[in-house]
Amino acid sequence: MPKSVETAAQRALPGRKAQAARNDELILAAAREVFLAEPKAPISAVAERAGVGISALYRRYPSKEDLLRTLCYDGLRRYNTEAAAALENADDWQVLVDFLQRVVDADVHSLTVRLAGTFTPDDSILPEVLRAGELNEQILRRARESGRLRPAATVADFGLILESCAAIALPDPARSAQLRRRVLALLIDGLAASGDLPGPPPEPGEFAGRWRPRT
């Protein structure tokens, strides 16, 4: 069962609201574990893993799609938080390195690899999508200003790198994290290399199209 760490904000809430906040944290942690292991798992498996009643889960998330949407939207918000934090670095090249390491450690892209196409996105996520685009461009610009970034590298290549690391998933989470960092170090060296790259970078539609519901 996922462990819940009560935050100061939760402690400040009245009893029932604090319990609801704790339940929501448990549900989202459980949903991440359950759906990353098996995207087709029933929502009842999440309630069982979280240790909450199915009625409590349905009060917060009326459907599996609502739960999946929230899970992935939270992942994008975490991505933006880590990207913004990386941009605070004074070293232009280290901004890019710090960004990639932060996002890999947060394991955000496992959600993309496993859950893209399992629900219908709505317009509520557009501000975070636009924010992610702005942050990505700032990181790319800073990396270029460092003089170390491979000329052919693009923002889309960041996504390829992050998904490649997320694809490393062993039964031992600590070992997975270790190997992801190892592969990331090799890929970062590639970003600092010279020479042409084979083929064009991904088109925006190639990534976005995966979020259309699978038939």
Side-chain angles (χ1 to χ4, degrees), residues 7-160:
T7 65
Q10 289 173 345
R11 289 193 296 271
L13 293 171
R16 287 188 178 181
K17 289 186 176 181
Q19 183 60 49
R22 285 192 292 270
N23 283 347
D24 195 46
E25 182 181 311
L26 287 170
I27 288 167
L28 289 175
R32 180 183 175 90
E33 292 178 11
V34 168
F35 293 138
L36 286 184
E38 177 45 73
K40 294 182 180 180
I43 200 168
S44 58
V46 176
E48 181 178 356
R49 180 72 62 89
V52 302
I54 191 70
S55 59
L57 191 154
Y58 274 121
R59 279 196 298 272
R60 181 67 181 86
Y61 302 101
S63 70
K64 178 179 176 179
E65 180 155 308
D66 290 323
L67 183 52
L68 288 167
R69 187 181 295 114
T70 299
L71 191 63
C72 288
Y73 288 9
D74 282 355
L76 180 55
R77 283 187 280 270
R78 176 69 184 277
Y79 176 94
N80 287 345
T81 296
E82 300 300 344
L87 279 162
E88 295 179 5
N89 200 303
D91 184 300
D92 288 335
W93 177 251
Q94 196 58 38
V95 165
L96 175 57
V97 175
D98 192 26
F99 158 68
L100 292 172
Q101 290 176 343
R102 284 173 173 272
V103 176
V104 166
D105 289 346
D107 197 18
V108 169
H109 280 69
S110 288
L111 297 170
T112 300
V113 170
R114 296 290 286 162
L115 301 182
T118 60
F119 65 92
T120 303
D122 61 26
D123 290 343
S124 68
I125 195 59
L126 284 179
E128 295 294 339
V129 171
L130 294 174
R131 177 62 174 154
E134 293 170 356
L135 291 167
N136 286 338
E137 290 296 336
Q138 290 179 52
I139 291 167
L140 181 70
R141 177 180 57 78
R142 293 280 303 275
R144 289 209 188 287
E145 289 174 354
S146 75
R148 296 182 61 184
L149 183 67
R150 188 175 198 142
T154 71
V155 163
D157 292 313
F158 298 167
L160 291 177

